[in-house]
C-alpha cells in the first residue's frame, strides 16, 4: 500500500474527525495486494471502527496540488531495484508498466464507486423511499461514464499495448486517441464540492442512507476508507497521468519513434489536468468561504458562494465618546466589508456582524493624521463611516491597499461608479460632507472630546442640561435643542434619523420657525477649524495662572490670517466659539525665566497673560509671532508665511 495521511474533517453538517487517507499506487516491484475483488457482504458480526461519516478536509485539498505536482505520492512505491534474470528492461517500459498497474487499481476503485456505492444507494432509495433518487445521482454525477471509459477502453488498450511492447514500443498514439474523453472529468470535478455537501447532509438526515454507506465502508473492498476518500480518486487521477507521461517522455531516447506522439499526448493531458487543478483551487476557495460563514453565524443576507474573501483581521475602533479604542474584527470580501464584534461566549458563531458596508459605496479609504491614535485610517462607506486603528504601519497600509483594490475591481465592472476620492498626503481631514451628499452616505462623526460647545448654537456642553448628540446627516456634535429634528436619510433605507436644523432645512425644504433661526454671531464666534486652516500661528499652549478662569489649563491658541492682530483661545481645536480673545497690538512679550524656559508672557497696563509651550522651539516661534503682531504687522498677501518666520 502507498502512503497514509492523517486528515481532519471540515465540511458543513459533519463534526471534525480524524481519519486516514490510503491511496494505492501499484507497479512492478511494489509489494501491493492484487486489485480488490467485487464487493461482498460483510459478516454480520463484523465491526468497523470510525464507520461514522467522515469528510474531506480543506487542509488535504490545499496540499493535494503540491503533492501531485511534486510526485511525492510515488516515492513510497518506486520500482524495485533488484534486477530480474535476463536483460534489464528499458526505463520507459517500467513507467508504462507502472501506468498499467495503477490503472488497474484505479478501475477497481471506480467499480466500487459505480457498481457498489451508487447502485446500492439507488436500490435503497427505490425500495425505502427514505431519500430521493435524484440526491444519489447528484452525489455520483457522471461516475458511470468515467468507469465505463476506463474499464472498457483505456485499460484494455494499455494492456494490449504492453503485451505487444516488443513489436510496438509506444503508447503516445493510444493516449492521443483517448485523451479527448478525459474532458468528462470536468463535470465530475465541478460537482465534487456539492456532492460532498449533499453526502454530509443526507448522512445526518437519513438513517437508511447512512446505514448503506456504513455497511459498504466496513467491507474489505473499501479498505477501511470512507466514501468521500474514494470519491477523491477521480479528482486526483488526471494530474497523475500528467506526471507519469512527463517522466515517460524524459526517459525516451532522443530518436525514439514514440517521442513526437508522446509529447503531443502530454500536451493534451496537461490541458485536462489544468481543469482538475482549477477545480481543486475553487474547492479551497469555497471551503475557506464556508469556514468564514460558520464563524459569522451563517447569516442569510451574506452567504453567497460567488463572494471572495480578500482579507480579515482584528482592528481597534476609535470611539467618538470613549477615550480608549474598542476591539473589533473586519472581514473584507470582494463586494462588502463586514464590521464585527467578537463574541464573549463563542458558542457557534465567533463574531456578530455589526455593520455591512458595500464596497460599491465606499468613497474614501485613507490614512488619518492623528497623534493620539497612530496607524489609524478612515473607511467612508454609504452605510457607515469608521475610524479604525491598526496594530502597525504595515498592517494599516495593507488594509488600505486591500480596500482600494476591491474598490478598483468594482469600478472596472461598473463604469458609472465614481472613483474613490483620496486626498493628497497631508491634506486636512474633511469633517463635513458636501451639501449634495447629505443623507446619501454616512458622515464621518466628529469626536465628542474634540469640541466643548455645540457646533451649531455654540453654547458650551455640560453633563446635565446640555449634552452631546451627533447629527446623522453631517456628523457634527450638537446639543439636544439644535438636533431636535428628524429627517429621512437614504443611506439608512429612508428611516427617520436625528439631524441638526441646518441639515433638516436642506433635506426637507421646510422653513424653520423664527425662534429657531440662527442668531447673530458674537465677537468670540470665530470657528477654530476655519482659523486653524487659515491661521498665521496655531498650537496648544498651557495657560498658567488664575487669569484664565474657567478656560482650563490648556488651550488651542490661534492667530487668524483674516484677523492677524488678535489671539483667540479655544478649549478644543474644533470649537465654534473662543473662550477668550486678546488684542495683541501694543502688548509687550517677554521670554521665559531660568526656572522654566518654555514660559512666556503678554503684559500691558496691568494685564498679564502667562503661557507655557511644549518645547522651547515652539515658545520661540510664539514669541516672534506675538512681537510682530504687537507691532501692528499684517500679511500683505496669501503667500506670506506664519508670523514666526
Amino acid at each position: 500500500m502507498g502512503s497514509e495521511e492523517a486528515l481532519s474533517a471540515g465540511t458543513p453538517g459533519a463534526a471534525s474527525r480524524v481519519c486516514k487517507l490510503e491511496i494505492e499506487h501499484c507497479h512492478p516491484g511494489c509489494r501491493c495486494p492484487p486489485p480488490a475483488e467485487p464487493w461482498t457482504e460483510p459478516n454480520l458480526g463484523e465491526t468497523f471502527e470510525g464507520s461514522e461519516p467522515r469528510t474531506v478536509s480543506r487542509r488535504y485539498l490545499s496540499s493535494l496540488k503540491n503533492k501531485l505536482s511534486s510526485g511525492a505520492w510515488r516515492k513510497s512505491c518506486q520500482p524495485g531495484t533488484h534486477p530480474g534474470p535476463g536483460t534489464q528492461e528499458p526505463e520507459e517500459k517500467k513507467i508504462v508498466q507502472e501506468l498499467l498497474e495503477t490503472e488497474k487499481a484505479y478501475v477497481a476503485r471506480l467499480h466500487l464507486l459505480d457498481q457498489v456505492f451508487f447502485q446500492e444507494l439507488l436500490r435503497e432509495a427505490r425500495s425505502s423511499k427514505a431519500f430521493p433518487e435524484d440526491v444519489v445521482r447528484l452525489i455520483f454525477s457522471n461516475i458511470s461514464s468515467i468507469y465505463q471509459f476506463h474499464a472498457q477502453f483505456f485499460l484494455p488498450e494499455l494492456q494490449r499495448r504492453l503485451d505487444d511492447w516488443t513489436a510496438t514500443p509506444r503508447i503516445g498514439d493510444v493516449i492521443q486517441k483517448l485523451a479527448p474523453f478525459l474532458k468528462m472529468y470536468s463535470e465530475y470535478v465541478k460537482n465534487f464540492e456539492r456532492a460532498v455537501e449533499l453526502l454530509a447532509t443526507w448522512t445526518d438526515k437519513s438513517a437508511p442512507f447512512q446505514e448503506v454507506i456504513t455497511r459498504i465502508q466496513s467491507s474489505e473492498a473499501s479498505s477501511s476508507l470512507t466514501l468521500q476518500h474514494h470519491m477523491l480518486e477521480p479528482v486526483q487521477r488526471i494530474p497523475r497521468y500528467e506526471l507519469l507521461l512527463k517522466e515517460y517522455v524524459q526517459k525516451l531516447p532522443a530518436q525514439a519513434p514514440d517521442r513526437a506522439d508522446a509529447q503531443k499526448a502530454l500536451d493534451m493531458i496537461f490541458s485536462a489536468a489544468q481543469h482538475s487543478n482549477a477545480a481543486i483551487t475553487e474547492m479551497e476557495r469555497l471551503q475557506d468561504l464556508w469556514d468564514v460563514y460558520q464563524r459569522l453565524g451563517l447569516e442569510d443576507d451574506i452567504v453567497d458562494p460567488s463572494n471572495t474573501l480578500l482579507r480579515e483581521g482584528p482592528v481597534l475602533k476609535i470611539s467618538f465618546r470613549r477615550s480608549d479604542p474598542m476591539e473589533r474584527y473586519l472581514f473584507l470580501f470582494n463586494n462588502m466589508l463586514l464590521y464585527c464584534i467578537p463574541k464573549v461566549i463563542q458558542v457557534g458563531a465567533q463574531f456578530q456582524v455589526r455593520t455591512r458596508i458595500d464596497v460599491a459605496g465606499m468613497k474614501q479609504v485613507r490614512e488619518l493624521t492623528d497623534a493620539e491614535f497612530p496607524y489609524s485610517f478612515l473607511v467612508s462607506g454609504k452605510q457607515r463611516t469608521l475610524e479604525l486603528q491598526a496594530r502597525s504601519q504595515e498592517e494599516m497600509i495593507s488594509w488600505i491597499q486591500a480596500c482600494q483594490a476591491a474598490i478598483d475591481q468594482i469600478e472596472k465592472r461598473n463604469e458609472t461608479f465614481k472613483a474613490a476620492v483620496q486626498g493628497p498626503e497631508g491634506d486636512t481631514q474633511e469633517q463635513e460632507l458636501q451639501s449634495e451628499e447629505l443623507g446619501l452616505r454616512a458622515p464621518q462623526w466628529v469626536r465628542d472630546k474634540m469640541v466643548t460647545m455645540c457646533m451649531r448654537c455654540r453654547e458650551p456642553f455640560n453633563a446635565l442640561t446640555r449634552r452631546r448628540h451627533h447629527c446623522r446627516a453631517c456628523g457634527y456634535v450638537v446639543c439636544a435643542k439644535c438636533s431636535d429634528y428628524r429627517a429621512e436619510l437614504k443611506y439608512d433605507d429612508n428611516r427617520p434619523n436625528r439631524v441638526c436644523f441646518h441639515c433638516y432645512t436642506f433635506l426637507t425644504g421646510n422653513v424653520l420657525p423664527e425662534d429657531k433661526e440662527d442668531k447673530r454671531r458674537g465677537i468670540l464666534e470665530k470657528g477654530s477649524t476655519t482659523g486653524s486652516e487659515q491661521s498665521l500661528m496655531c498650537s496648544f499652549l498651557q495657560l498658567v495662572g488664575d487669569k484664565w478662569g474657567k478656560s482650563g489649563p490648556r488651550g488651542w491658541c490661534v492667530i487668524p490670517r483674516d484677523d492677524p492682530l488678535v489671539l483667540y483661545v479655544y478649549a478644543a481645536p474644533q470649537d465654534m466659539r473662543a473662550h477668550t480673545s486678546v488684542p495683541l497690538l501694543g502688548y509687550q512679550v517677554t521670554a521665559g525665566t531660568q526656572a522654566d524656559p518654555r514660559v512666556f508672557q503678554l503684559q500691558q497696563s496691568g494685564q498679564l497673560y502667562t503661557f507655557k509651550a511644549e518645547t522651547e522651539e515652539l515658545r520661540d516661534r510664539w514669541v516672534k509671532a506675538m512681537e510682530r503682531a504687537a507691532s501692528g504687522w499684517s500679511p500683505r498677501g496669501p503667500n506670506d508665511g506664519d508670523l514666526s518666520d
Side-chain angles (χ1 to χ4, degrees):
M1 287 295 176
S3 60
E4 297 183 349
E5 179 177 350
L7 300 174
S8 60
T11 301
S16 296
R17 305 170 181 93
V18 177
C19 53
K20 294 183 178 180
L21 174 62
E22 181 177 344
I23 305 174
E24 291 190 4
H25 302 288
C26 306
H27 51 70
C30 263
R31 297 183 178 179
C32 300
E37 296 298 326
W39 172 74
T40 56
E41 285 283 339
N43 296 330
L44 293 177
E46 185 178 2
T47 59
F48 175 61
E49 293 184 6
S51 60
E52 56 184 290
R54 295 171 291 178
T55 56
V56 179
S57 72
R58 179 174 58 83
R59 185 174 63 183
Y60 173 70
L61 291 174
S62 164
S63 64
L64 183 57
K65 289 181 296 182
N66 294 333
K67 178 192 286 187
L68 293 176
S69 61
S70 65
W73 59 276
R74 300 178 59 214
K75 291 179 181 178
S76 60
C77 292
Q78 290 297 335
T81 57
H82 302 288
T87 307
Q88 181 74 20
E89 291 183 342
E91 292 292 331
E92 62 270 21
K93 184 179 179 181
K94 293 181 180 179
I95 297 172
V96 176
Q97 289 173 336
E98 182 179 350
L99 176 61
L100 176 63
E101 295 302 322
T102 56
E103 185 69 13
K104 290 179 181 178
Y106 177 55
V107 169
R109 295 299 185 197
L110 292 177
H111 177 274
L112 181 66
L113 282 170
D114 181 49
Q115 298 299 309
V116 182
F117 279 106
F118 185 28
Q119 296 302 326
E120 286 290 315
L121 284 170
L122 272 181
R123 191 177 298 113
E124 180 66 27
R126 291 166 182 161
S127 61
S128 68
K129 305 297 183 183
F131 49 92
E133 291 184 41
D134 289 342
V135 170
V136 181
R137 299 184 191 280
L138 285 172
I139 289 174
F140 290 93
S141 187
N142 61 336
I143 192 66
S144 297
S145 300
I146 295 174
Y147 170 61
Q148 292 174 11
F149 166 72
H150 284 272
Q152 300 177 17
F153 296 98
F154 199 30
L155 180 58
E157 284 286 343
L158 286 176
Q159 184 67 63
R160 281 192 292 269
R161 185 53 59 90
L162 188 61
D163 293 342
D164 195 29
W165 186 261
T166 304
T168 313
R170 55 194 307 156
I171 60 167
D173 56 336
V174 173
I175 297 178
Q176 277 190 58
K177 182 173 63 175
L178 300 178
F181 293 96
L182 298 179
K183 292 181 179 178
M184 69 177 68
Y185 277 83
S186 296
E187 179 181 346
Y188 181 88
V189 173
K190 289 179 181 177
N191 184 68
F192 181 79
E193 180 71 15
R194 184 184 182 191
V196 172
E197 292 180 8
L198 283 173
L199 180 60
T201 299
W202 282 95
T203 300
D204 292 339
K205 190 175 182 179
S206 172
F209 186 93
Q210 182 180 8
E211 189 275 331
V212 172
I213 293 176
T214 302
R215 183 169 29 111
I216 301 175
Q217 287 178 161
S218 63
S219 69
E220 183 180 353
S222 185
S223 303
S224 300
L225 296 178
T226 63
L227 173 56
Q228 292 97 324
H229 292 86
H230 293 306
M231 290 169 61
L232 263 177
E233 287 277 346
V235 178
Q236 304 168 19
R237 188 58 184 167
I238 300 299
R240 290 174 183 164
Y241 286 142
E242 180 189 7
L243 290 173
L244 285 170
L245 194 55
K246 185 181 297 183
E247 187 172 353
Y248 173 77
V249 172
Q250 293 173 351
K251 298 295 184 181
L252 281 175
Q255 304 301 323
D258 196 24
R259 190 167 188 83
D261 285 339
Q263 184 60 54
K264 187 175 181 181
L266 177 60
D267 295 339
M268 299 174 70
I269 293 291
F270 175 77
S271 177
Q274 291 299 102
H275 290 285
S276 295
N277 289 333
I280 293 173
T281 301
E282 178 66 9
M283 284 186 282
E284 290 176 6
R285 185 189 71 82
L286 291 173
Q287 187 62 54
D288 284 334
L289 200 60
W290 184 257
D291 291 343
V292 170
Y293 288 156
Q294 287 182 314
R295 293 159 64 195
L296 293 173
L298 299 175
E299 297 191 15
D300 293 337
D301 57 340
I302 64 172
V303 174
D304 187 346
S306 65
N307 290 343
T308 301
L309 179 65
L310 303 180
R311 182 180 172 83
E312 65 170 284
V315 295
L316 293 175
K317 166 67 168 58
I318 300 175
S319 174
F320 300 105
R321 292 187 169 89
R322 297 172 52 182
S323 59
D324 53 325
M326 299 169 289
E327 292 185 2
R328 295 292 183 262
Y329 203 90
L330 299 181
F331 291 93
L332 176 63
F333 295 87
N334 57 309
N335 63 337
M336 61 183 173
L337 176 69
L338 298 182
Y339 170 71
C340 306
I341 299 177
K343 288 189 173 181
V344 178
I345 303 177
Q346 295 186 356
V347 178
Q350 299 178 13
F351 301 96
Q352 177 186 355
V353 179
R354 189 67 175 269
T355 302
R356 168 180 171 167
I357 301 176
D358 293 332
V359 172
M362 283 189 184
K363 177 184 177 183
Q364 295 186 73
V365 183
R366 60 178 173 82
E367 181 180 0
L368 293 175
T369 55
D370 193 325
E372 185 177 359
F373 299 103
Y375 321 129
S376 57
F377 60 100
L378 174 75
V379 177
S380 178
K382 181 179 179 181
Q383 291 81 6
R384 188 169 178 182
T385 296
L386 301 170
E387 292 186 21
L388 305 171
Q389 183 180 17
R391 294 174 295 185
S392 65
Q393 178 77 9
E394 294 76 13
E395 190 174 277
M396 178 199 69
I397 294 174
S398 181
W399 272 114
I400 293 175
Q401 291 176 344
C403 292
Q404 191 59 50
I407 294 173
D408 294 342
Q409 189 65 29
I410 291 290
E411 282 185 322
K412 291 179 181 178
R413 287 183 288 177
N414 184 8
E415 295 180 355
T416 61
F417 177 70
K418 295 182 179 181
V421 179
Q422 281 190 308
E425 186 176 357
D427 280 0
T428 303
Q429 174 180 311
E430 295 181 3
Q431 296 289 351
E432 187 173 9
L433 292 175
Q434 298 295 327
S435 58
E436 62 269 16
E437 294 181 330
L438 283 175
L440 299 180
R441 60 171 59 252
Q444 180 183 359
W445 283 16
V446 178
R447 299 178 203 166
D448 283 1
K449 65 180 180 180
M450 298 300 292
V451 294
T452 60
M453 61 186 70
C454 175
M455 298 179 73
R456 291 305 185 192
C457 70
R458 291 119 184 149
E459 292 296 328
F461 290 119
N462 58 65
L464 297 178
T465 61
R466 194 175 298 276
R467 300 177 59 190
R468 292 173 171 84
H469 301 274
H470 276 92
C471 172
R472 268 57 174 180
C474 65
Y476 271 20
V477 182
V478 291
C479 63
K481 182 179 179 181
C482 292
S483 60
D484 191 21
Y485 307 90
R486 300 185 74 82
E488 296 179 354
L489 302 180
K490 289 187 177 181
Y491 77 82
D492 195 26
D493 296 329
N494 289 319
R495 286 192 286 262
N497 279 262
R498 185 174 201 146
V499 296
C500 66
F501 61 85
H502 281 284
C503 296
Y504 173 80
T505 305
F506 178 85
L507 293 170
T508 64
N510 296 337
V511 179
L512 294 175
E514 292 183 1
D515 59 344
K516 291 187 177 181
E517 288 184 356
D518 196 10
K519 302 176 182 178
R520 292 188 60 185
R521 293 168 62 93
I523 190 171
L524 298 178
E525 296 181 0
K526 176 184 287 290
S528 73
T529 301
T530 303
S532 301
E533 293 173 353
Q534 301 178 3
S535 64
L536 296 172
M537 186 70 189
C538 62
S539 75
F540 277 108
L541 292 175
Q542 186 173 345
L543 311 176
V544 182
D546 299 331
K547 181 70 177 178
W548 299 103
K550 296 181 180 180
S551 61
R554 189 167 179 256
W556 178 255
C557 301
V558 179
I559 300 178
R561 181 177 293 275
D562 59 355
D563 198 0
L565 304 183
V566 180
L567 172 68
Y568 290 87
V569 181
Y570 301 85
Q574 297 191 20
D575 280 359
M576 302 303 296
R577 186 173 67 175
H579 278 290
T580 306
S581 64
V582 181
L584 296 175
L585 191 63
Y587 269 85
Q588 293 182 352
V589 185
T590 57
T593 63
Q594 293 182 353
D596 194 341
R598 295 175 296 170
V599 173
F600 63 97
Q601 294 179 326
L602 285 174
Q603 185 175 4
Q604 183 189 53
S605 302
Q607 296 288 337
L608 180 65
Y609 298 95
T610 305
F611 305 87
K612 182 179 179 180
E614 294 183 357
T615 64
E616 293 186 38
E617 185 272 337
L618 182 60
R619 180 214 61 186
D620 293 339
R621 291 179 58 200
W622 270 108
V623 169
K624 292 179 182 179
M626 290 183 176
E627 285 177 344
R628 297 180 69 176
S631 64
W633 180 91
S634 297
R636 296 182 178 85
N639 296 326
D640 283 354
D642 64 41
L643 285 172
S644 64
D645 291 342

